[in-house]
Amino acid sequence: MTQQQTYDTLIVGGRVIDPANGVDQIADVAVTGGRIAAVEGGLAASAAATTRIDATGQLVLPGLVEGHTHIFESVSKVGAPAVEAHLRRGVVAAADAGTAGASTFAAFRRIVVDPNPMRILSFLNVSVLGLIDFRYGELLNPETFNVEDALQVAADNADMVRGFKIRLSEDVLGDQITPLLKKAVDLGEQGGLPVMVHIGETALSVPEIVDMLRPGDIIAHCYTGKAPTILGDNGRVQDEIYAARERGVLYESAHGRSNLSFKVAAPAIEQGFIPDVITSDTSARNWRGPVFDLVTSMSKLIALGIRLEDVIPRVTIEPARLLGIDGEGFGALTVGGPAHVAVLTGAGVATLTDAAGNTIEAARLEPTAVLLNGEQFDLVPWRGLSA
Ligand SMILES: [Zn+2]
């Protein structure tokens, strides 16, 4: 008689979707010593485990990766608490998108990154101030865009700085859009890093903006309803948007407080234009609604027509690659790799809102378990329930 295999954790009977490894099947996931020990159908029948998680009828995914959020809590007016807003909602790695700048980065590291179990990355704001308070545009004084400081901080923190962030809204940088965007792209070139560009309430058109970007640079808020949008006067996604994508420019959804419009997203999705990475742009201004969290952003985009099978890679392996953490095992359920797992269930139909107050009936996804390095963390209920 063979000895029964015993694991730390068995996640049993779920639909395992792991795009990086080409897996989409009903299977059991075994975890031992913080690592994925096996992903196999029928494994649980003959194995024992200290903890068994019944995932029947649920999705078993790589732990979610958030490519755009704001988590400089206690310092920035937009900083949401990283663990409450993300880990306890199924996200194991997250990139802060420009909340910290060169002058505040040491504090970001000490307050947010060091004490936090999640993997945290950063798109460093080109302004030394970062996004400290939304009432005061961080580039209204262009002197705050200090190339040397940004390059130094990026180099000193290469383990977590994965790009630079610039916000092009007029209340952020006045009428200096073109020279400051050009300066940001030059900074990216010098630092060997991509630039994430926030659009919405910007004087340039999206074709004019993408024309200045390099392969690997990222347009944040691709479904914003605030001018300029990706749609032309004929209601179709503009040709230049696709041409830039052909050149390697990336698009992320970044819902945010004011930058997801169902009226832009629905036709764009119907025309086949979907983001390279799906992000929530969670912040202290929206994590109690209308954004809530990444799984709610996923639910909205699925309700608008993006297939579940197309959403999953865009919240797992694609952002992991973009952030350069796929090599650390994020975004995949690879046997032998770290056990970062999210289990999601269908939580019924909910009325969800975009940034302009438009509503949609959506089948809402809800996390039921999250593992980071094999350790299971407590979840918090959807904050929309109390809203
Ligand atoms: Zn943002």
PDB file of all heavy atoms in Angstrom, residues 38-71:
ATOM      1  N   ALA A  38       1.240  20.514  -6.810  1.00  0.00           N
ATOM      2  CA  ALA A  38       0.617  19.799  -7.932  1.00  0.00           C
ATOM      3  C   ALA A  38      -0.640  20.534  -8.364  1.00  0.00           C
ATOM      4  O   ALA A  38      -1.293  21.193  -7.557  1.00  0.00           O
ATOM      5  CB  ALA A  38       0.266  18.373  -7.521  1.00  0.00           C
ATOM      6  N   VAL A  39      -0.956  20.409  -9.646  1.00  0.00           N
ATOM      7  CA  VAL A  39      -2.237  20.869 -10.199  1.00  0.00           C
ATOM      8  C   VAL A  39      -2.753  19.701 -11.032  1.00  0.00           C
ATOM      9  O   VAL A  39      -2.238  19.437 -12.114  1.00  0.00           O
ATOM     10  CB  VAL A  39      -2.074  22.128 -11.078  1.00  0.00           C
ATOM     11  CG1 VAL A  39      -3.432  22.565 -11.640  1.00  0.00           C
ATOM     12  CG2 VAL A  39      -1.425  23.268 -10.301  1.00  0.00           C
ATOM     13  N   GLU A  40      -3.716  18.966 -10.488  1.00  0.00           N
ATOM     14  CA  GLU A  40      -4.168  17.737 -11.142  1.00  0.00           C
ATOM     15  C   GLU A  40      -5.631  17.471 -10.823  1.00  0.00           C
ATOM     16  O   GLU A  40      -6.091  17.736  -9.707  1.00  0.00           O
ATOM     17  CB  GLU A  40      -3.394  16.526 -10.596  1.00  0.00           C
ATOM     18  CG  GLU A  40      -2.020  16.312 -11.210  1.00  0.00           C
ATOM     19  CD  GLU A  40      -1.281  15.184 -10.491  1.00  0.00           C
ATOM     20  OE1 GLU A  40      -1.927  14.134 -10.188  1.00  0.00           O
ATOM     21  OE2 GLU A  40      -0.098  15.367 -10.216  1.00  0.00           O
ATOM     22  N   GLY A  41      -6.305  16.864 -11.773  1.00  0.00           N
ATOM     23  CA  GLY A  41      -7.677  16.436 -11.517  1.00  0.00           C
ATOM     24  C   GLY A  41      -7.676  15.213 -10.607  1.00  0.00           C
ATOM     25  O   GLY A  41      -6.804  14.341 -10.711  1.00  0.00           O
ATOM     26  N   GLY A  42      -8.613  15.140  -9.682  1.00  0.00           N
ATOM     27  CA  GLY A  42      -8.771  13.944  -8.850  1.00  0.00           C
ATOM     28  C   GLY A  42      -7.716  13.744  -7.786  1.00  0.00           C
ATOM     29  O   GLY A  42      -7.694  12.724  -7.090  1.00  0.00           O
ATOM     30  N   LEU A  43      -6.841  14.706  -7.620  1.00  0.00           N
ATOM     31  CA  LEU A  43      -5.736  14.586  -6.661  1.00  0.00           C
ATOM     32  C   LEU A  43      -6.239  14.433  -5.222  1.00  0.00           C
ATOM     33  O   LEU A  43      -5.704  13.651  -4.434  1.00  0.00           O
ATOM     34  CB  LEU A  43      -4.901  15.869  -6.772  1.00  0.00           C
ATOM     35  CG  LEU A  43      -3.578  15.962  -6.047  1.00  0.00           C
ATOM     36  CD1 LEU A  43      -2.562  15.038  -6.698  1.00  0.00           C
ATOM     37  CD2 LEU A  43      -3.073  17.399  -6.093  1.00  0.00           C
ATOM     38  N   ALA A  44      -7.288  15.178  -4.898  1.00  0.00           N
ATOM     39  CA  ALA A  44      -7.731  15.257  -3.507  1.00  0.00           C
ATOM     40  C   ALA A  44      -8.288  13.932  -2.991  1.00  0.00           C
ATOM     41  O   ALA A  44      -8.287  13.681  -1.778  1.00  0.00           O
ATOM     42  CB  ALA A  44      -8.783  16.359  -3.365  1.00  0.00           C
ATOM     43  N   ALA A  45      -8.773  13.089  -3.914  1.00  0.00           N
ATOM     44  CA  ALA A  45      -9.416  11.844  -3.479  1.00  0.00           C
ATOM     45  C   ALA A  45      -8.460  10.966  -2.671  1.00  0.00           C
ATOM     46  O   ALA A  45      -8.872  10.279  -1.729  1.00  0.00           O
ATOM     47  CB  ALA A  45      -9.940  11.095  -4.695  1.00  0.00           C
ATOM     48  N   SER A  46      -7.177  10.988  -3.034  1.00  0.00           N
ATOM     49  CA  SER A  46      -6.229  10.080  -2.390  1.00  0.00           C
ATOM     50  C   SER A  46      -5.192  10.814  -1.553  1.00  0.00           C
ATOM     51  O   SER A  46      -4.181  10.244  -1.158  1.00  0.00           O
ATOM     52  CB  SER A  46      -5.511   9.253  -3.472  1.00  0.00           C
ATOM     53  OG  SER A  46      -4.839  10.135  -4.329  1.00  0.00           O
ATOM     54  N   ALA A  47      -5.438  12.114  -1.292  1.00  0.00           N
ATOM     55  CA  ALA A  47      -4.440  12.892  -0.554  1.00  0.00           C
ATOM     56  C   ALA A  47      -5.061  13.517   0.690  1.00  0.00           C
ATOM     57  O   ALA A  47      -6.264  13.730   0.762  1.00  0.00           O
ATOM     58  CB  ALA A  47      -3.866  13.987  -1.455  1.00  0.00           C
ATOM     59  N   ALA A  48      -4.208  13.807   1.641  1.00  0.00           N
ATOM     60  CA  ALA A  48      -4.652  14.490   2.854  1.00  0.00           C
ATOM     61  C   ALA A  48      -4.048  15.892   2.871  1.00  0.00           C
ATOM     62  O   ALA A  48      -3.058  16.166   2.190  1.00  0.00           O
ATOM     63  CB  ALA A  48      -4.189  13.715   4.084  1.00  0.00           C
ATOM     64  N   ALA A  49      -4.651  16.762   3.671  1.00  0.00           N
ATOM     65  CA  ALA A  49      -4.118  18.122   3.784  1.00  0.00           C
ATOM     66  C   ALA A  49      -4.505  18.713   5.124  1.00  0.00           C
ATOM     67  O   ALA A  49      -5.551  18.387   5.679  1.00  0.00           O
ATOM     68  CB  ALA A  49      -4.670  19.002   2.660  1.00  0.00           C
ATOM     69  N   THR A  50      -3.648  19.573   5.646  1.00  0.00           N
ATOM     70  CA  THR A  50      -3.946  20.271   6.886  1.00  0.00           C
ATOM     71  C   THR A  50      -5.169  21.175   6.686  1.00  0.00           C
ATOM     72  O   THR A  50      -6.044  21.251   7.544  1.00  0.00           O
ATOM     73  CB  THR A  50      -2.728  21.133   7.292  1.00  0.00           C
ATOM     74  OG1 THR A  50      -1.566  20.312   7.237  1.00  0.00           O
ATOM     75  CG2 THR A  50      -2.890  21.694   8.688  1.00  0.00           C
ATOM     76  N   THR A  51      -5.208  21.845   5.530  1.00  0.00           N
ATOM     77  CA  THR A  51      -6.344  22.721   5.205  1.00  0.00           C
ATOM     78  C   THR A  51      -6.916  22.309   3.857  1.00  0.00           C
ATOM     79  O   THR A  51      -6.171  22.154   2.888  1.00  0.00           O
ATOM     80  CB  THR A  51      -5.867  24.191   5.115  1.00  0.00           C
ATOM     81  OG1 THR A  51      -5.234  24.544   6.348  1.00  0.00           O
ATOM     82  CG2 THR A  51      -7.024  25.135   4.847  1.00  0.00           C
ATOM     83  N   ARG A  52      -8.207  22.110   3.814  1.00  0.00           N
ATOM     84  CA  ARG A  52      -8.881  21.828   2.540  1.00  0.00           C
ATOM     85  C   ARG A  52      -9.816  22.986   2.236  1.00  0.00           C
ATOM     86  O   ARG A  52     -10.590  23.415   3.082  1.00  0.00           O
ATOM     87  CB  ARG A  52      -9.713  20.540   2.624  1.00  0.00           C
ATOM     88  CG  ARG A  52      -8.893  19.269   2.540  1.00  0.00           C
ATOM     89  CD  ARG A  52      -9.811  18.065   2.759  1.00  0.00           C
ATOM     90  NE  ARG A  52     -10.299  17.481   1.529  1.00  0.00           N
ATOM     91  CZ  ARG A  52      -9.670  16.490   0.887  1.00  0.00           C
ATOM     92  NH1 ARG A  52      -8.542  15.998   1.366  1.00  0.00           N
ATOM     93  NH2 ARG A  52     -10.172  16.007  -0.224  1.00  0.00           N
ATOM     94  N   ILE A  53      -9.715  23.491   1.017  1.00  0.00           N
ATOM     95  CA  ILE A  53     -10.605  24.569   0.569  1.00  0.00           C
ATOM     96  C   ILE A  53     -11.478  23.990  -0.533  1.00  0.00           C
ATOM     97  O   ILE A  53     -10.971  23.562  -1.564  1.00  0.00           O
ATOM     98  CB  ILE A  53      -9.785  25.770   0.043  1.00  0.00           C
ATOM     99  CG1 ILE A  53      -8.909  26.355   1.157  1.00  0.00           C
ATOM    100  CG2 ILE A  53     -10.708  26.838  -0.549  1.00  0.00           C
ATOM    101  CD1 ILE A  53      -7.878  27.380   0.690  1.00  0.00           C
ATOM    102  N   ASP A  54     -12.770  23.959  -0.300  1.00  0.00           N
ATOM    103  CA  ASP A  54     -13.688  23.444  -1.322  1.00  0.00           C
ATOM    104  C   ASP A  54     -13.948  24.551  -2.345  1.00  0.00           C
ATOM    105  O   ASP A  54     -14.539  25.577  -2.013  1.00  0.00           O
ATOM    106  CB  ASP A  54     -14.994  22.993  -0.669  1.00  0.00           C
ATOM    107  CG  ASP A  54     -15.971  22.427  -1.707  1.00  0.00           C
ATOM    108  OD1 ASP A  54     -15.576  22.276  -2.893  1.00  0.00           O
ATOM    109  OD2 ASP A  54     -17.120  22.144  -1.326  1.00  0.00           O
ATOM    110  N   ALA A  55     -13.486  24.330  -3.568  1.00  0.00           N
ATOM    111  CA  ALA A  55     -13.651  25.343  -4.626  1.00  0.00           C
ATOM    112  C   ALA A  55     -14.634  24.874  -5.699  1.00  0.00           C
ATOM    113  O   ALA A  55     -14.644  25.419  -6.804  1.00  0.00           O
ATOM    114  CB  ALA A  55     -12.289  25.663  -5.241  1.00  0.00           C
ATOM    115  N   THR A  56     -15.456  23.922  -5.359  1.00  0.00           N
ATOM    116  CA  THR A  56     -16.429  23.414  -6.328  1.00  0.00           C
ATOM    117  C   THR A  56     -17.286  24.553  -6.872  1.00  0.00           C
ATOM    118  O   THR A  56     -17.832  25.354  -6.101  1.00  0.00           O
ATOM    119  CB  THR A  56     -17.352  22.370  -5.653  1.00  0.00           C
ATOM    120  OG1 THR A  56     -16.541  21.402  -5.010  1.00  0.00           O
ATOM    121  CG2 THR A  56     -18.246  21.699  -6.687  1.00  0.00           C
ATOM    122  N   GLY A  57     -17.372  24.637  -8.182  1.00  0.00           N
ATOM    123  CA  GLY A  57     -18.180  25.682  -8.806  1.00  0.00           C
ATOM    124  C   GLY A  57     -17.514  27.047  -8.807  1.00  0.00           C
ATOM    125  O   GLY A  57     -18.136  28.048  -9.172  1.00  0.00           O
ATOM    126  N   GLN A  58     -16.244  27.103  -8.391  1.00  0.00           N
ATOM    127  CA  GLN A  58     -15.545  28.394  -8.292  1.00  0.00           C
ATOM    128  C   GLN A  58     -14.344  28.429  -9.240  1.00  0.00           C
ATOM    129  O   GLN A  58     -13.944  27.411  -9.793  1.00  0.00           O
ATOM    130  CB  GLN A  58     -15.084  28.620  -6.845  1.00  0.00           C
ATOM    131  CG  GLN A  58     -16.253  28.542  -5.845  1.00  0.00           C
ATOM    132  CD  GLN A  58     -15.835  28.987  -4.450  1.00  0.00           C
ATOM    133  OE1 GLN A  58     -15.172  29.992  -4.289  1.00  0.00           O
ATOM    134  NE2 GLN A  58     -16.242  28.227  -3.447  1.00  0.00           N
ATOM    135  N   LEU A  59     -13.782  29.621  -9.393  1.00  0.00           N
ATOM    136  CA  LEU A  59     -12.593  29.809 -10.223  1.00  0.00           C
ATOM    137  C   LEU A  59     -11.352  29.769  -9.335  1.00  0.00           C
ATOM    138  O   LEU A  59     -11.308  30.442  -8.306  1.00  0.00           O
ATOM    139  CB  LEU A  59     -12.642  31.162 -10.941  1.00  0.00           C
ATOM    140  CG  LEU A  59     -13.827  31.416 -11.862  1.00  0.00           C
ATOM    141  CD1 LEU A  59     -13.832  32.885 -12.312  1.00  0.00           C
ATOM    142  CD2 LEU A  59     -13.764  30.488 -13.084  1.00  0.00           C
ATOM    143  N   VAL A  60     -10.359  28.987  -9.740  1.00  0.00           N
ATOM    144  CA  VAL A  60      -9.076  28.961  -9.029  1.00  0.00           C
ATOM    145  C   VAL A  60      -8.037  29.565  -9.970  1.00  0.00           C
ATOM    146  O   VAL A  60      -7.757  29.025 -11.043  1.00  0.00           O
ATOM    147  CB  VAL A  60      -8.691  27.524  -8.620  1.00  0.00           C
ATOM    148  CG1 VAL A  60      -7.351  27.526  -7.904  1.00  0.00           C
ATOM    149  CG2 VAL A  60      -9.784  26.925  -7.734  1.00  0.00           C
ATOM    150  N   LEU A  61      -7.503  30.714  -9.570  1.00  0.00           N
ATOM    151  CA  LEU A  61      -6.654  31.525 -10.449  1.00  0.00           C
ATOM    152  C   LEU A  61      -5.320  31.813  -9.772  1.00  0.00           C
ATOM    153  O   LEU A  61      -5.212  31.758  -8.537  1.00  0.00           O
ATOM    154  CB  LEU A  61      -7.335  32.867 -10.740  1.00  0.00           C
ATOM    155  CG  LEU A  61      -8.799  32.846 -11.157  1.00  0.00           C
ATOM    156  CD1 LEU A  61      -9.335  34.270 -11.245  1.00  0.00           C
ATOM    157  CD2 LEU A  61      -8.968  32.115 -12.483  1.00  0.00           C
ATOM    158  N   PRO A  62      -4.335  32.188 -10.556  1.00  0.00           N
ATOM    159  CA  PRO A  62      -3.143  32.758  -9.921  1.00  0.00           C
ATOM    160  C   PRO A  62      -3.568  33.975  -9.097  1.00  0.00           C
ATOM    161  O   PRO A  62      -4.500  34.684  -9.490  1.00  0.00           O
ATOM    162  CB  PRO A  62      -2.277  33.192 -11.112  1.00  0.00           C
ATOM    163  CG  PRO A  62      -2.774  32.370 -12.271  1.00  0.00           C
ATOM    164  CD  PRO A  62      -4.251  32.156 -12.033  1.00  0.00           C
ATOM    165  N   GLY A  63      -2.912  34.231  -7.988  1.00  0.00           N
ATOM    166  CA  GLY A  63      -3.210  35.433  -7.206  1.00  0.00           C
ATOM    167  C   GLY A  63      -3.216  36.642  -8.127  1.00  0.00           C
ATOM    168  O   GLY A  63      -2.334  36.786  -8.983  1.00  0.00           O
ATOM    169  N   LEU A  64      -4.199  37.511  -7.958  1.00  0.00           N
ATOM    170  CA  LEU A  64      -4.375  38.617  -8.906  1.00  0.00           C
ATOM    171  C   LEU A  64      -3.239  39.636  -8.777  1.00  0.00           C
ATOM    172  O   LEU A  64      -2.687  39.857  -7.693  1.00  0.00           O
ATOM    173  CB  LEU A  64      -5.724  39.293  -8.674  1.00  0.00           C
ATOM    174  CG  LEU A  64      -6.942  38.360  -8.737  1.00  0.00           C
ATOM    175  CD1 LEU A  64      -8.228  39.148  -8.459  1.00  0.00           C
ATOM    176  CD2 LEU A  64      -7.026  37.625 -10.077  1.00  0.00           C
ATOM    177  N   VAL A  65      -2.923  40.251  -9.903  1.00  0.00           N
ATOM    178  CA  VAL A  65      -1.871  41.274  -9.956  1.00  0.00           C
ATOM    179  C   VAL A  65      -2.522  42.576 -10.426  1.00  0.00           C
ATOM    180  O   VAL A  65      -3.095  42.637 -11.512  1.00  0.00           O
ATOM    181  CB  VAL A  65      -0.734  40.862 -10.909  1.00  0.00           C
ATOM    182  CG1 VAL A  65       0.334  41.959 -10.967  1.00  0.00           C
ATOM    183  CG2 VAL A  65      -0.117  39.531 -10.470  1.00  0.00           C
ATOM    184  N   GLU A  66      -2.424  43.589  -9.593  1.00  0.00           N
ATOM    185  CA  GLU A  66      -3.016  44.911  -9.878  1.00  0.00           C
ATOM    186  C   GLU A  66      -1.942  45.817 -10.466  1.00  0.00           C
ATOM    187  O   GLU A  66      -0.953  46.133  -9.790  1.00  0.00           O
ATOM    188  CB  GLU A  66      -3.548  45.500  -8.567  1.00  0.00           C
ATOM    189  CG  GLU A  66      -3.943  46.951  -8.610  1.00  0.00           C
ATOM    190  CD  GLU A  66      -5.193  47.213  -9.434  1.00  0.00           C
ATOM    191  OE1 GLU A  66      -6.313  46.957  -8.927  1.00  0.00           O
ATOM    192  OE2 GLU A  66      -5.030  47.676 -10.576  1.00  0.00           O
ATOM    193  N   GLY A  67      -2.155  46.240 -11.692  1.00  0.00           N
ATOM    194  CA  GLY A  67      -1.133  47.030 -12.378  1.00  0.00           C
ATOM    195  C   GLY A  67      -1.208  48.528 -12.166  1.00  0.00           C
ATOM    196  O   GLY A  67      -0.331  49.267 -12.641  1.00  0.00           O
ATOM    197  N   HIS A  68      -2.256  49.005 -11.474  1.00  0.00           N
ATOM    198  CA  HIS A  68      -2.404  50.461 -11.289  1.00  0.00           C
ATOM    199  C   HIS A  68      -3.280  50.716 -10.063  1.00  0.00           C
ATOM    200  O   HIS A  68      -4.475  50.458 -10.075  1.00  0.00           O
ATOM    201  CB  HIS A  68      -3.058  51.062 -12.544  1.00  0.00           C
ATOM    202  CG  HIS A  68      -3.249  52.551 -12.505  1.00  0.00           C
ATOM    203  ND1 HIS A  68      -3.201  53.317 -13.645  1.00  0.00           N
ATOM    204  CD2 HIS A  68      -3.500  53.409 -11.485  1.00  0.00           C
ATOM    205  CE1 HIS A  68      -3.426  54.599 -13.318  1.00  0.00           C
ATOM    206  NE2 HIS A  68      -3.599  54.672 -12.016  1.00  0.00           N
ATOM    207  N   THR A  69      -2.647  51.203  -9.004  1.00  0.00           N
ATOM    208  CA  THR A  69      -3.414  51.546  -7.811  1.00  0.00           C
ATOM    209  C   THR A  69      -2.721  52.692  -7.082  1.00  0.00           C
ATOM    210  O   THR A  69      -1.667  53.182  -7.519  1.00  0.00           O
ATOM    211  CB  THR A  69      -3.562  50.327  -6.876  1.00  0.00           C
ATOM    212  OG1 THR A  69      -4.421  50.676  -5.791  1.00  0.00           O
ATOM    213  CG2 THR A  69      -2.212  49.867  -6.330  1.00  0.00           C
ATOM    214  N   HIS A  70      -3.315  53.127  -5.979  1.00  0.00           N
ATOM    215  CA  HIS A  70      -2.734  54.214  -5.169  1.00  0.00           C
ATOM    216  C   HIS A  70      -2.778  53.792  -3.710  1.00  0.00           C
ATOM    217  O   HIS A  70      -3.844  53.741  -3.113  1.00  0.00           O
ATOM    218  CB  HIS A  70      -3.509  55.515  -5.407  1.00  0.00           C
ATOM    219  CG  HIS A  70      -3.396  55.975  -6.820  1.00  0.00           C
ATOM    220  ND1 HIS A  70      -2.312  56.689  -7.283  1.00  0.00           N
ATOM    221  CD2 HIS A  70      -4.190  55.756  -7.899  1.00  0.00           C
ATOM    222  CE1 HIS A  70      -2.453  56.921  -8.581  1.00  0.00           C
ATOM    223  NE2 HIS A  70      -3.579  56.351  -8.988  1.00  0.00           N
ATOM    224  N   ILE A  71      -1.625  53.444  -3.146  1.00  0.00           N
ATOM    225  CA  ILE A  71      -1.587  52.823  -1.820  1.00  0.00           C
ATOM    226  C   ILE A  71      -0.574  53.486  -0.881  1.00  0.00           C
ATOM    227  O   ILE A  71      -0.032  52.830   0.000  1.00  0.00           O
ATOM    228  CB  ILE A  71      -1.298  51.299  -1.939  1.00  0.00           C
ATOM    229  CG1 ILE A  71      -0.154  51.027  -2.913  1.00  0.00           C
ATOM    230  CG2 ILE A  71      -2.549  50.548  -2.353  1.00  0.00           C
ATOM    231  CD1 ILE A  71       0.241  49.564  -3.034  1.00  0.00           C
TER     232      ILE A  71
END
